[in-house]
Amino acid sequence: MRIHPLGIYEKALPKDLTWKERFEIAKQSGFDYVEMSVDETDERLSRLDWTKQQRKDFVSTKIDCGILTPSMCLSGHRKYPFGSHDPKIRQRAYDIMAKAIELANDLGIRNIQLAGYDVYYEEQDEGTLERYDEGMRKAVEMAAGAQVMLATEIMDTPFMSSITKWQRWNKMLNSPWFGVYPDVGNLTAWNNDLDQELSSGIDKITAIHLKETLPVSNTCKGQFRDLQFGEGTVDFVNIFKILKKLNYRGSFMLEMWGDKVDDPIGKIVKAREYIEQKMAEANYQP
């Protein structure tokens, strides 16, 4: 395995695959792991209620395929957020969190990436912020008890658009089981100082998303997804130089989506080759 493992997002692969097929394609395409998605769709949320046999089958399959699943992208809270005005939605948010931690324990997932939204489909106000804070406190308590890491992603909205903003919750929660999962594409799109941002959170970075974006400006709302590597403005060479200077020793996950592209498998291979080339240009050993 590489010094810095390279993973691929589940959604980069065709949707209608078995887990065995996903794992085999990922490994054959040169990746070390797959990041599972538990998003807001009923189909993927239903994974939280997998039976014991389904959980055993998943673990056996990944072991047989010789690939890892160290992380879960838990974006189901976008539809069911802690900060919601509706108490029923808030209760669903807590249920999702508890079940996700249990599933992670059973499947050998060590890192649950949380979407940094107090609310997404509702209007933000003082109450949504207070309820989000309380939800995060309870979530980290549950995670600590299970020895599962929670890490907030730097997002595509102003609420959690930088590691600097994330530090508010880092100080408030003050837990070794709470970290940050920066998406360097999102950090770039919000015109952050990458050196300053990555330096400020280096001791709490659990993993890093690699993704292309276009920046937010006075005339453009930016583009945060569906760009192929090389089509955006993310300076990966500079990012890898910064991470080398900071002695970052963790993994990288290529965040891509395969539902709107021809030949998604060919695209992930090209993306891996692109990233490996940028690492080489930065003299950053993969």
Side-chain angles (χ1 to χ4, degrees):
M1 184 180 291
R2 302 172 179 86
I3 293 175
H4 303 283
L6 287 180
I8 189 67
Y9 190 31
E10 175 194 336
K11 289 186 178 181
L13 302 171
K15 183 178 180 182
D16 297 322
L17 297 176
T18 64
W19 278 107
K20 184 175 188 294
E21 290 169 334
R22 286 190 188 101
F23 293 149
E24 289 177 342
I25 290 170
K27 187 170 184 180
Q28 291 165 7
S29 300
F31 291 93
D32 303 303
Y33 70 93
V34 176
E35 181 165 283
M36 173 187 274
S37 167
V38 178
D39 63 18
E40 63 190 73
T41 64
D42 290 340
E43 178 186 358
R44 286 197 169 97
L45 283 171
S46 69
R47 294 172 176 176
L48 301 177
D49 295 310
W50 273 357
T51 64
K52 289 184 178 180
Q53 189 59 53
Q54 286 173 302
R55 297 171 192 227
K56 289 177 181 179
D57 290 344
F58 179 93
V59 173
S60 294
T61 300
K62 75 170 182 176
I63 291 173
D64 290 343
C65 291
I67 199 162
L68 302 174
T69 54
S71 56
M72 174 197 299
C73 176
L74 182 62
S75 55
H77 283 136
R78 187 167 75 164
K79 184 176 180 181
Y80 302 103
F82 291 127
S84 176
H85 298 87
D86 186 336
K88 292 182 179 179
I89 291 178
R90 295 199 300 273
Q91 185 57 55
R92 184 74 189 277
Y94 286 110
D95 292 343
I96 287 170
M97 190 74 261
K99 289 181 178 182
I101 291 170
E102 181 182 14
L103 183 67
N105 256 337
D106 287 346
L107 301 187
I109 290 171
R110 301 183 296 277
N111 188 23
I112 298 178
Q113 176 233 296
L114 301 178
Y117 305 121
D118 60 334
V119 287
Y120 188 81
Y121 298 110
E122 304 175 40
E123 289 295 321
Q124 184 182 80
D125 55 35
E126 291 286 336
T128 65
L129 296 172
E130 291 175 2
R131 290 187 290 271
Y132 176 74
D133 287 355
E134 182 61 21
M136 290 303 297
R137 287 190 184 95
K138 291 182 178 178
V140 171
E141 287 176 3
M142 287 189 282
Q147 298 185 51
V148 172
M149 178 69 70
L150 301 184
T152 306
E153 183 182 11
I154 302 307
M155 301 305 298
D156 54 352
T157 63
F159 178 68
M160 196 76 71
S161 60
S162 68
I163 296 175
T164 299
K165 288 184 176 180
W166 166 85
Q167 288 286 4
R168 174 185 178 277
W169 288 274
N170 184 38
K171 293 174 183 175
M172 178 185 79
L173 298 169
N174 190 30
S175 171
W177 300 102
F178 178 67
V180 64
Y181 197 145
D183 181 319
V184 295
N186 292 345
L187 281 173
T188 299
W190 289 110
N191 301 295
N192 287 293
D193 181 326
L194 273 294
D195 196 338
Q196 176 181 314
E197 289 295 311
L198 293 169
S199 297
S200 75
I202 189 62
D203 60 327
K204 296 297 291 288
I205 293 175
T206 63
I208 290 177
H209 274 179
L210 303 177
K211 183 183 71 180
E212 277 284 19
T213 55
L214 294 174
V216 174
S217 69
N218 292 332
T219 58
C220 178
K221 63 179 181 180
Q223 184 171 344
F224 290 87
R225 56 167 292 169
D226 297 324
L227 289 168
Q228 300 303 311
F229 285 91
E231 296 179 351
T233 61
V234 180
D235 187 346
F236 289 103
V237 173
N238 180 53
I239 287 166
F240 290 130
K241 286 181 177 178
I242 293 169
L243 292 171
K244 180 181 179 181
K245 177 186 68 173
L246 296 173
N247 195 34
Y248 173 71
R249 310 303 291 172
S251 64
F252 295 98
M253 202 281 291
L254 277 64
E255 187 171 26
M256 306 170 64
W257 291 266
D259 56 342
K260 296 180 181 179
V261 299
D262 297 326
D263 187 21
I265 297 171
K267 288 290 194 301
I268 68 171
V269 173
K270 289 182 180 179
R272 175 186 55 75
E273 293 171 346
Y274 179 88
I275 289 300
E276 289 176 340
Q277 176 60 36
K278 298 303 178 184
M279 285 182 169
E281 291 175 27
N283 194 27
Y284 188 67
Q285 188 175 357

